[in-house]
Amino acid sequence: MTLDSIVRTLFLYLQIFFAGILHEGKSISYKQNFRGCLENIVFNNVHIADLARRNKSSIRFVGKVRFSCVEMPYVPVTFSGINNYLMVPGVPANLKVTVSFKFRTWDTIGLLMFTSFAGSMGSLEMALSEGQINVTISQPHKKKLVFAAGYRLNDGFWHSVSLVARENSAVVIIDEDEGAQFKINYQFQLRSGDTYYFGGCPKPAAGSGCYSNQTAFHGCMQLINVDGQPVDFHRMQLGWLGRFSEVMFNVCAIADRCRPNLCEHGGRCYQSWDDFFCICDMTGYKGETCHKSLFKENCDAYRISGKYSGNFTVDPDGSGPLKPFTVYCDISEERAWSIVQNDRYYRTKVVGSNPDQPFLGEVNYWNASWGEVSSLANGSEYCEQRIEFSCYRSRLLNTPMGLPYSFWMGRNNERHFYWGGSNPGIQRCACGIEKTCADPRHFCNCDADHLQWRYDKGLLTFRDHLPVTQVVVGDTNRSSSEAWFSVGPLRCYGDRNTWNAVTFMKPASLIYPTFQPNQSMDISFYFKTSSYSGTFLENMASDFEIFIRIELNTTRDLVFIYDIGNGHENVTVKYPFPLNDNEWHEVKAEMNVKLARLKVDKMPWVIRNFPLQTYLNTSYDRPLYVGSADYRMKPYIGCLRGLRMNGVTLDLEGKANETIGVRTNCTGHCENPQMECQNGARCVERYSHYMCDCNGTGYEGPFCTRGNVVLP
């Protein structure tokens, strides 16, 4: 088989494109086709370029393709000032105006070229408007002639423009595509003037005759031709030709400000000459970089805001990477249940499984991944999930000492060998706790292995194991063996993130792993204190140059201090009343490449804008200190709770240590409760009241006293 026949075969089954992608003569790529030189094109050892040069019939050409590489002189000029322009002399009183040039820009508007006709016959203006070229011909006592050509010419690529205007006609060609040239025929007269302005008009306009009201062009130009003559930029720099202002020669200083894309959560980036912007539509997020979530963390937050029962979108990790998802909120006056349904709500039948080849019943939650549902459970005070196993000669957990035949998988892909109604780690079902199993020798009804239908069901309530992600069934391969299982929705209430509280009784630091905010950060917490000052948190680099710190500077000044590579700067909220009034105050701090801002309670944001296209250096490598600056400097004495950083709640209580002066909760009702929480339950401070957390105790009720718990 010859090379030509190989290529024919390839094109019969697969079309291969070089320098562009076409379908029925039209480009199907959102990017401009390649313009330049290619050589030594080889595909599967077939020399495509050689076949093309020999004009083989298996190769098809679209557009202008030459078999030589002509290196064009690359002498660009950059327009980047407020009043930038190039003034180029032309041939006056000519019956034809001929102008061509190449340009590239990100801006949607800007003056490309302006010239006044000789003899006060009017003017011709060429400008970008919404990414296309608008040509305006103005003449005294006549209506302006305006026409447009091109599309999305502000995409940052080079585009060529050719304009030929003569009496009663004008032709504009974009990117040398003569098939898409724009022609007009209209009665007007012209005589070329003696000056052409590119990129803008001098200020004031009276001395130059350049009366365009268009915004100055910001971008690059090259290969400017006027009246058929190329403009010599070298002579212009020496002052031998024309004039210029606020331009740079021999360089195209355009920057792609959307690579890398600093817009988060799928936000779309677009840019101008000196800045970028994020379109957050349909992302579920807002802000300068689509960093902040539009939705509340859980149903309890919707309850507090005055909502009633219904479907709501929640975002448990806020600005974190997990996506928002929809839950049903069952809202009452006291609490709000967040309910997430799954595809195992209806019973699933299992036959033919054994321990070596078990049935793997994956549980998929509606509109949410396991990680997203886990985040909801992790941030809740209490969660529960019903699980049921119906059996006909199909064993469930076997015996407490034997390997289970079936089990369920929970958060972090962990296996769990206890069933609904029981406690973690004891390999029992609800009947084993209540001593009501069908066979007293076993701790699950199904483990009796009876030739009749039995069932084991109950609630799983150990929050840190939920949600159920998989049910594994391994004993239905014997004669007449059969099993059914179902998993109810995950149901959670409360917000344990907001009330994760500690008290700093003396100078101390809670130390956490380094905060890695990348290009955006948000920090929020609550505090109450009677101290005059103190540092809430600090993170810095080893050289002590790059850092962030939030502190109470005086009784009325709360400060967000930072250095992102430009020296020490700060944002300060000046509160109208003392902040050390021993009442709770909420603090929010944010930073991205656009700005830093700080907010306390219901006060308006205090904002510090950054210079355009700031590089945000947040490369910290030292630990995060909470409660003081590094080395316990400027310590904070008081209560702190609900500390969240980029959607992650820091477990303050888990780090508390009374030997260093930090204890859980905040001084209040749990110090001397009217009635102690019973059976190992945890007292949770609510500052106006307290409550008992019965999670994992096997008891319930206001003080965790109801229930009949039998330990293994």
Side-chain angles (χ1 to χ4, degrees):
M1 182 179 286
T2 65
L3 288 179
D4 191 35
S5 62
I6 292 174
V7 175
R8 283 177 179 273
T9 303
L10 284 172
F11 273 95
L12 181 62
Y13 296 103
L14 174 68
Q15 292 192 51
I16 304 170
F17 297 90
F18 295 94
I21 304 175
L22 297 174
H23 177 66
E24 296 180 355
K26 295 183 180 181
S27 174
I28 60 174
S29 173
Y30 71 95
K31 292 193 174 183
Q32 184 186 37
N33 290 347
F34 173 76
R35 292 172 181 268
C37 300
L38 295 173
E39 63 179 357
N40 298 328
I41 304 172
V42 178
F43 181 84
N44 282 355
N45 295 320
V46 177
H47 292 266
I48 305 296
D50 180 63
L51 295 177
R53 184 181 57 80
R54 290 190 280 134
N55 201 27
K56 293 295 185 178
S57 60
S58 55
I59 306 295
R60 185 162 63 95
F61 302 97
V62 177
K64 294 181 180 179
V65 180
R66 300 184 180 91
F67 296 108
S68 61
C69 188
V70 179
E71 295 187 8
M72 302 299 293
Y74 185 77
V75 186
V77 58
T78 300
F79 298 84
S80 59
I82 299 175
N83 297 314
N84 51 225
Y85 70 89
L86 284 179
M87 190 278 282
V88 178
V91 179
N94 202 329
L95 295 176
K96 182 173 68 172
V97 171
T98 304
V99 175
S100 65
F101 56 90
K102 286 190 172 184
F103 76 95
R104 62 184 301 201
T105 185
W106 293 110
D107 284 359
T108 59
I109 59 174
L111 180 64
L112 295 172
M113 187 276 294
F114 180 92
T115 184
S116 293
F117 297 149
S120 300
M121 297 179 65
S123 63
L124 187 149
E125 176 183 275
M126 185 183 302
L128 274 178
S129 176
E130 301 301 325
Q132 65 179 8
I133 289 179
N134 283 3
V135 178
T136 303
I137 299 176
S138 302
Q139 293 200 300
H141 313 299
K142 290 186 178 181
K143 185 179 179 181
K144 284 185 179 180
L145 173 62
V146 181
F147 61 95
Y151 172 70
R152 283 192 62 193
L153 301 178
N154 63 316
D155 57 4
F157 294 104
W158 283 107
H159 295 282
S160 63
V161 182
S162 174
L163 167 71
V164 178
R166 52 172 57 91
E167 195 167 277
N168 300 329
S169 72
V171 178
V172 177
I173 299 176
I174 307 295
D175 291 335
E176 302 177 6
D177 187 358
E178 294 183 0
Q181 67 184 11
F182 191 91
K183 298 180 181 180
I184 64 161
N185 293 290
Y186 191 81
Q187 288 189 357
F188 64 90
Q189 294 178 320
L190 65 80
R191 295 291 185 274
S192 62
D194 59 358
T195 53
Y196 292 79
Y197 291 91
F198 292 87
C201 288
K203 305 296 180 186
S208 66
C210 185
Y211 292 104
S212 173
N213 59 3
Q214 296 287 340
T215 302
F217 169 77
H218 289 152
C220 305
M221 288 189 186
Q222 66 171 333
L223 301 176
I224 299 177
N225 279 264
V226 173
D227 294 334
Q229 297 298 317
V231 176
D232 191 334
F233 290 155
H234 180 65
R235 294 185 65 202
M236 292 195 74
Q237 288 179 272
L238 296 175
W240 297 347
L241 179 71
R243 297 196 310 272
F244 61 87
S245 174
E246 298 184 43
V247 298
M248 295 182 291
F249 291 96
N250 301 317
V251 63
C252 180
I254 192 171
D256 190 343
R257 304 184 188 280
C258 287
R259 294 185 184 181
N261 183 4
L262 298 180
C263 304
E264 303 177 61
H265 300 109
R268 290 173 291 133
C269 179
Y270 73 98
Q271 71 174 79
S272 63
W273 174 255
D274 53 10
D275 203 1
F276 78 95
F277 311 92
C278 295
I279 301 176
C280 307
D281 298 350
M282 307 301 292
T283 66
Y285 296 85
K286 62 182 179 179
E288 295 77 18
T289 59
C290 309
H291 180 72
K292 296 179 63 177
S293 180
L294 290 171
F295 308 106
K296 299 186 182 301
E297 292 86 357
N298 51 47
C299 290
D300 201 57
Y302 283 109
R303 178 184 69 86
I304 294 172
S305 67
K307 301 296 184 181
Y308 298 98
S309 297
N311 291 317
F312 291 91
T313 300
V314 297
D315 193 352
D317 74 332
S319 60
L322 299 175
K323 295 180 180 179
F325 58 97
T326 301
V327 303
Y328 180 78
C329 294
D330 185 1
I331 299 175
S332 65
E333 187 176 346
E334 295 80 17
R335 65 180 51 153
W337 288 91
S338 301
I339 303 173
V340 192
Q341 296 286 356
N342 64 72
D343 61 354
R344 298 291 181 183
Y345 178 77
Y346 298 103
R347 296 200 305 167
T348 300
K349 180 180 178 180
V350 183
V351 294
S353 64
N354 60 64
D356 294 328
Q357 292 182 320
F359 174 83
L360 307 178
E362 191 171 278
V363 182
N364 297 301
Y365 291 84
W366 294 0
N367 306 314
S369 67
W370 293 342
E372 291 155 6
V373 179
S374 296
S375 180
L376 174 66
N378 193 51
S380 300
E381 286 182 11
Y382 172 84
C383 289
E384 66 182 26
Q385 194 163 13
R386 179 169 294 275
I387 189 168
E388 179 174 354
F389 188 83
S390 299
C391 54
Y392 189 94
R393 203 186 178 201
S394 175
R395 290 161 291 187
L396 180 56
L397 299 181
N398 195 14
T399 64
M401 303 304 295
L403 291 175
Y405 289 100
S406 300
F407 53 89
W408 60 278
M409 308 282 285
R411 194 187 308 179
N412 303 320
N413 207 30
E414 295 177 342
R415 299 183 178 189
H416 299 293
F417 302 142
Y418 66 99
W419 208 249
S422 180
N423 298 316
I426 61 174
Q427 200 162 316
R428 295 190 181 191
C429 298
C431 70
I433 299 294
E434 300 165 357
K435 295 185 177 180
T436 58
C437 294
D439 185 339
R441 295 172 299 174
H442 297 280
F443 298 101
C444 293
N445 288 316
C446 288
D447 289 342
D449 203 23
H450 288 163
L451 283 171
Q452 68 179 88
W453 283 101
R454 301 284 187 187
Y455 64 84
D456 289 290
K457 63 181 179 180
L459 291 177
L460 301 168
T461 60
F462 193 71
R463 174 189 52 215
D464 293 341
H465 288 173
L466 298 176
V468 178
T469 60
Q470 192 177 70
V471 176
V472 179
V473 180
D475 185 32
T476 61
N477 65 324
R478 294 174 296 158
S479 177
S480 302
S481 291
E482 185 178 334
W484 298 74
F485 73 87
S486 64
V487 178
L490 179 72
R491 293 165 43 88
C492 301
Y493 70 77
D495 184 352
R496 73 168 175 173
N497 291 329
T498 302
W499 295 101
N500 193 310
V502 294
T503 302
F504 291 88
M505 299 178 292
K506 61 183 182 180
S509 297
L510 301 182
I511 302 175
Y512 294 86
T514 304
F515 180 41
Q516 300 290 356
N518 297 320
Q519 295 297 323
S520 297
M521 69 174 74
D522 66 274
I523 304 169
S524 63
F525 58 87
Y526 296 82
F527 78 93
K528 74 171 182 176
T529 184
S530 57
S531 300
Y532 293 99
S533 63
T535 299
F536 299 110
L537 62 89
E538 179 191 73
N539 209 168
M540 62 171 51
S542 295
D543 57 8
F544 302 101
E545 294 294 328
I546 308 300
F547 71 92
I548 55 169
R549 184 187 305 126
I550 301 177
E551 64 181 44
L552 184 64
N553 199 16
T554 69
T555 57
R556 300 193 181 197
D557 290 352
L558 199 141
V559 189
F560 180 22
I561 311 171
Y562 54 87
D563 189 333
I564 56 173
N566 299 323
H568 290 18
E569 298 177 333
N570 72 79
V571 183
T572 302
V573 171
K574 293 186 175 296
Y575 206 75
F577 307 105
L579 287 164
N580 63 335
D581 57 359
N582 211 29
E583 297 291 340
W584 285 111
H585 296 282
E586 182 182 19
V587 178
K588 293 182 178 180
E590 297 178 7
M591 183 189 293
N592 54 54
V593 295
K594 300 273 191 174
L595 53 81
R597 57 186 165 207
L598 183 65
K599 178 181 174 69
V600 179
D601 294 337
K602 301 299 183 181
M603 294 283 290
W605 287 97
V606 177
I607 299 174
R608 180 166 188 151
N609 291 305
F610 293 157
L612 294 177
Q613 202 62 16
T614 294
Y615 173 70
L616 194 65
N617 187 349
T618 55
S619 299
Y620 313 125
D621 53 13
R622 296 182 62 80
L624 168 68
Y625 286 80
V626 175
S628 74
D630 203 353
Y631 302 111
R632 297 189 179 182
M633 296 174 60
K634 300 186 70 174
Y636 168 71
I637 305 298
C639 298
L640 195 67
R641 68 176 174 88
L643 176 57
R644 287 170 68 92
M645 304 181 71
N646 273 14
V648 177
T649 299
L650 272 66
D651 186 6
L652 299 174
E653 295 177 352
K655 289 280 187 177
N657 185 342
E658 290 206 29
T659 60
I660 65 171
V662 184
R663 65 183 175 193
T664 59
N665 292 320
C666 187
T667 302
H669 296 274
C670 284
E671 290 289 304
N672 296 293
Q674 294 179 355
M675 179 174 176
E676 297 281 351
C677 296
Q678 303 297 310
N679 298 304
R682 184 173 66 97
C683 181
V684 179
E685 189 66 58
R686 282 295 180 266
Y687 309 107
S688 62
H689 66 285
Y690 71 100
M691 62 178 293
C692 296
D693 183 0
C694 308
N695 187 51
T697 67
Y699 290 84
E700 59 184 4
F703 305 101
C704 306
T705 56
R706 292 202 304 267
N708 183 19
V709 179
V710 178
L711 296 178

